[in-house]
Amino acid sequence: MKAPAFSYVKPGALSEVFDLLERHGDRARVLAGGQSLLASLNLRLSEPELLVDITGVPGLSGITVSNRTLRIGALTTHRQIEHSPEVARHLPLLAQAVRNVGHVAIRNVGTFGGSIALADPAAEYPACAVALDATFVLAGRGAERRVKAREFFRGLYQTALKPGELVMAGEFPVPDERYRSVFLELARRRGDYAIVGLAAHARMAGGLISDARLAFLGAGSTPVLAVRAAAALEGRPPDAQAVAAAQSVLDEELEMPADLYSSHATKLHLARVLLGRALGALAG
Ligand SMILES: Cc1cc2nc3c(=O)[nH]c(=O)nc-3n(C[C@H](O)[C@H](O)[C@H](O)COP(=O)(O)OP(=O)(O)OC[C@H]3O[C@@H](n4cnc5c(N)ncnc54)[C@H](O)[C@@H]3O)c2cc1C
């Protein structure tokens, strides 16, 4: 199908973006990489009158590290994240996850901020941001605020963004060297959205697990932090007993809505499998 008719504007300054969003209200949509928005227009799931292309706004792209915080600008592409030495060094979880985002053609243009704002429950970044306790920088006209990833994702495709606000960046605390990470997902075909995935991050000291963060994707309407499973691992080695203890509480925590291809029971089984594999990888 073809997209409905719309007007297009590409401002060169943030103030112009905020003017346009204020003037046109919910008849305008922000356009970044277009990898999700243009498909939704073509399917006529959305019919905005105006697309405000933010890719001409300076200062919204790039990866920087300072004061043990890694900051990713909203317009940073998936490909830039994939090839970033800073991300590889400081956030191996994100470096592993980004390789699962679509295909190279999508990663070349799709952006970090677009994925966060879209808040697809099967997307990789939201789960990583929750596991890594990231904070998002949001801005509207004249005001900037910070919202924790754990409070940002509010429901299916729903976020803490207010009308007229943009995602400006994500700020990730750089973990110390005792932390290990593993990102795993199961998809029908390489490049598809995950059926179920797991962003696992934990401190491993003296062979014992602590501060485990197990963020599942494809397991509910938002990324789901499995806190009871993590508690079952606290202070234990990642052995078969610990794996079984964590797996046994997963069904209390994961909503696991069935989709077109997989039942609730199948998805729960896959989540348990991923948890077992993740703990094996953390141990190794
Ligand atoms: C075939 C295919 C497979 C894909 N597979 C995956 C996958 O496996 N995993 C995955 O995570 N994604 C996947 N994607 C989506 C891809 O990652 C997109 O790049 C991403 O979801 C949106 O980023 P974008 O820059 O393209 O945003 P756009 O499509 O331009 O925008 C998406 C939404 O976010 C809003 N928006 C964009 N930027 C901002 C901002 N800075 N502030 C506020 N609102 C903003 C837009 O208004 C729109 O509502 C896939 C896409 C395709 C076409």
Side-chain angles (χ1 to χ4, degrees):
M1 283 175 73
K2 282 188 182 166
F6 55 81
S7 302
Y8 168 89
V9 59
K10 187 172 177 180
L14 207 47
S15 58
E16 289 176 56
V17 174
F18 294 137
D19 282 347
L20 287 160
L21 295 179
E22 197 169 275
R23 205 172 325 134
H24 294 271
D26 60 11
R27 286 168 288 128
R29 290 289 289 279
V30 169
L31 175 70
Q35 295 304 292
S36 298
L37 182 55
L38 296 185
S40 83
L41 297 191
N42 289 342
L43 291 168
R44 307 235 168 177
L45 298 173
S46 171
E47 299 198 15
E49 289 171 13
L50 177 69
L51 294 191
V52 182
D53 184 344
I54 59 171
T55 58
V57 176
L60 287 182
S61 183
I63 298 169
T64 52
V65 185
S66 82
N67 297 327
R68 297 206 62 78
T69 299
L70 187 146
R71 180 180 165 111
I72 303 178
L75 288 179
T76 309
T77 63
H78 307 317
R79 201 75 172 143
Q80 286 171 317
I81 293 173
E82 188 176 355
H83 288 283
S84 159
E86 290 88 0
V87 172
R89 177 165 174 219
H90 297 297
L91 300 179
L93 183 67
L94 205 58
Q96 293 171 55
V98 66
R99 295 194 284 268
N100 295 279
V101 177
H103 307 278
V104 172
I106 292 153
R107 298 203 290 274
N108 277 336
V109 271
T111 66
F112 175 78
S115 176
I116 295 304
L118 183 68
D120 191 305
E124 288 79 7
Y125 296 155
C128 290
V130 165
L132 294 168
D133 199 18
T135 298
F136 299 129
V137 183
L138 313 180
R141 178 195 295 290
E144 191 175 270
R145 63 191 181 109
R146 283 174 165 71
V147 177
K148 287 270 189 192
R150 291 176 191 180
E151 286 144 29
F152 180 79
F153 302 102
R154 298 274 168 93
L156 193 61
Y157 299 106
Q158 286 175 359
T159 70
L161 274 172
K162 293 182 183 156
E165 269 188 330
L166 292 183
V167 175
M168 304 292 283
E171 293 178 341
F172 293 79
V174 171
D176 69 43
E177 60 289 343
R178 292 170 300 173
Y179 280 83
R180 288 198 198 156
S181 302
V182 58
F183 184 90
L184 297 169
E185 74 174 40
L186 295 164
R188 280 167 58 81
R189 295 171 306 189
R190 185 152 180 80
D192 281 3
Y193 273 104
I195 303 168
V196 184
L198 171 59
H201 182 68
R203 194 190 297 125
M204 297 293 298
L208 303 178
I209 304 172
S210 60
D211 193 22
R213 295 94 173 267
L214 306 168
F216 283 87
L217 47 146
S221 49
T222 62
V224 182
L225 199 59
V227 286
R228 281 182 226 162
L233 298 170
E234 188 68 22
R236 301 175 72 159
D239 56 15
Q241 288 83 358
V243 171
Q247 285 172 328
S248 70
V249 292
L250 268 190
D251 55 344
E252 296 163 23
E253 307 205 73
L254 305 184
E255 217 178 285
M256 283 302 183
D259 59 30
L260 280 179
Y261 306 105
S262 311
S263 67
H264 165 83
T266 302
K267 291 184 73 164
L268 194 54
H269 170 74
L270 297 179
R272 288 199 194 101
V273 169
L274 288 184
L275 181 54
R277 287 183 189 170
L279 292 173
L282 286 177

